[in-house]
Amino acid sequence: MAGSPTRRDFLRLSSGLVVAGLASGCASPVVSSLTGAQPATADVIFWHLFGGGDGANMATMVKNVQASAGISVESTLLSWGNPYYTKLALAASSGRPPDVAVAHLSRLPLLAEAGLLETVDEAGLTAAGVTEDRFTPAAWSKATVGGETYAVPLDTHPFVMFYNRTLAKRAGLLDSEGKLRQLAGRDEFVGALTAMKEVGGDFGAVASNTADPSTTWRFFLTLYSGLAGAILEDQGTRITLDRDAAEETFALMRELTVGKKLMPRSATITTASTLFGQGRVGFLFDGVWQIPTYSGVKLPSGDPLDFDVVPFPAILGEEPRSYADSHALVIPRAEGRSGERSRHAVSFVKGLLEDSATWADGGHVPAWLPTQESEEFTSKKPQSNYVRAAFDAVYDPPGWYTGAGSDFQNSMGGVISRVLAGQAEPAAAVSDMVASLRTYATAKPPVG
């Protein structure tokens, strides 16, 4: 592809980091690989970015795969966000990367187009049964760049609606089975938030829209995508934002905070978790990864927090949409990797997929359909209640600057936060968003 980054580009981009790493005496696998001494302490060298509960679940899965496949695995946890992807690209550019690594699908295009990853065919994964028909379609599609599939989706983690069942019951929002009744359209959505506030909630809903611009961006894209398609195309170089759809989306978001005061104008992550965790708000709009945060939480009364989680309904437009991303497994290209190590890498990836019901404990929807459709997963609540969101998933638009933890998400979230705070009218905010998009779309990529 003309203008695509190459391995040499990545090496040139990262040369300053290489010198810094060597000067610090860092003994990480990154530096070892750059000096031509890839760690061979295990059958599979695995890099990931999971800490906390996700880290514990991944450790369990790795242990299970080692036992079932009879292979040894060395796992390395690296810093989340831009530092992780810089190190991964650097190691892959050197030709001595880990055997398997985790990547967000929203970050995949640049790695794939730079020729740093093996396709699933080249890696031998297709022959092992890792095929399109066994994955959630939206995730597999996002794993495919330029007609080739470069990643094996492990999950989908969508933006969803948490709701307080006690308040929902008082508000008359539950159906005969005790579940949130299906909402349809803008008016019913706003009506549900209004009802939650009227029966005792401080607000109808809350989302962390001050300290976490990524959350605000997820909320915007969930709503906007019901009305229009991608805001960027051609790998982020062409702006295709629908101004009318964006203005309508901003108008609804502003109505919820400034107009009807159904949501706080500003809320930190702590504000959101306190309000929802204490039963003082009807809905929480957040990612499924927050499920462990609220499981087992006690209200000030001592009673357990009674909550459930569902996908967003169709609010603007006829079809429901849910912002999402996916963790995926990639096999960085390494010409010196032996056939035996390649086979071990395939066994490891397949083993993680087959044990992904464990991964679902963190709130994620398994992308591997045999697990997603298994009794082990379908019995997990509330995880199995929002599977539909994985099929309605809308990912970040592809571009070298978009994706999980990117400055792009922070910039978009900053514009949206001003609307929620009443500091910008919808029409003006659309112009601000276009101006910000233009800055990114016309910027020269750091590689290529």
Side-chain angles (χ1 to χ4, degrees), residues 125 191 203 260 313 319 361-362 374 376 395-396 398 403 430 442:
L125 287 157
F203 295 94
K260 296 185 179 295
E319 299 295 331
D361 289 342
S374 69
E376 184 179 7
Y395 293 80
D396 265 21
V430 173
T442 57

Side-chain angles (χ1 to χ4, degrees), residues 310-341:
V310 294
F312 275 88
I315 299 172
L316 298 179
E318 299 298 321
E319 299 295 331
R321 293 288 182 267
S322 296
Y323 174 90
D325 206 339
S326 292
H327 297 116
L329 302 164
V330 297
I331 296 184
R333 192 177 297 280
E335 295 179 5
R337 184 182 294 125
S338 69
E340 182 180 31
R341 293 193 73 83

Side-chain angles (χ1 to χ4, degrees), residues 36-238:
Q38 180 184 25
T41 54
D43 296 324
V44 175
I45 305 300
F46 174 49
W47 285 9
H48 67 90
L49 35 64
F50 303 122
D54 276 350
N57 291 336
M58 180 54 68
T60 296
M61 294 165 66
V62 170
K63 181 179 179 180
N64 292 343
V65 174
Q66 289 185 102
S68 63
I71 57 176
S72 59
V73 179
E74 180 185 289
S75 295
T76 299
L77 169 63
L78 298 171
S79 299
W80 193 91
N82 285 330
Y84 176 81
Y85 290 100
T86 298
K87 289 178 180 178
L88 180 58
L90 218 157
S93 299
S94 77
R96 295 184 179 274
D99 300 300
V100 180
V102 166
H104 288 87
L105 287 185
S106 62
R107 289 279 196 156
L108 184 68
L110 187 61
L111 295 171
E113 291 172 357
L116 301 179
L117 305 177
E118 293 187 359
T119 68
V120 296
D121 283 339
E122 292 170 332
L125 287 157
T126 302
V130 179
T131 52
E132 179 177 2
D133 59 306
R134 307 184 82 181
F135 289 86
T136 305
W140 187 268
S141 177
K142 188 64 176 177
T144 303
V145 179
E148 295 283 356
T149 304
Y150 290 91
V152 177
L154 180 61
D155 67 45
T156 304
H157 44 276
F159 195 63
V160 291
M161 300 199 308
F162 292 67
Y163 69 95
N164 182 306
R165 283 174 38 81
T166 301
L167 290 178
K169 183 177 181 179
R170 289 181 199 164
L173 295 175
L174 301 184
D175 61 21
S176 59
E177 297 180 354
K179 302 292 185 181
L180 185 72
R181 63 177 174 79
Q182 184 63 47
L183 305 174
R186 181 184 188 280
D187 291 345
E188 286 194 15
F189 176 70
V190 174
L193 270 63
T194 302
M196 287 288 208
K197 183 177 180 179
E198 290 177 346
V199 298
D202 288 12
F203 295 94
V206 67
S208 55
N209 53 30
T210 302
D212 186 9
S214 293
T215 294
T216 307
W217 162 244
R218 294 169 188 134
F219 188 24
F220 171 86
L221 198 59
T222 293
L223 297 172
Y224 171 87
S225 297
L227 294 171
I231 70 170
L232 294 162
E233 292 184 0
D234 297 341
Q235 298 303 309
T237 61
R238 184 164 66 92

Side-chain angles (χ1 to χ4, degrees), residues 237-259:
T237 61
R238 184 164 66 92
I239 300 171
T240 53
L241 179 77
D242 185 312
R243 295 187 67 106
D244 290 340
E247 187 169 344
E248 184 175 346
T249 302
F250 279 137
L252 172 57
M253 298 180 80
R254 195 172 192 276
E255 179 184 353
L256 296 177
T257 56
V258 179

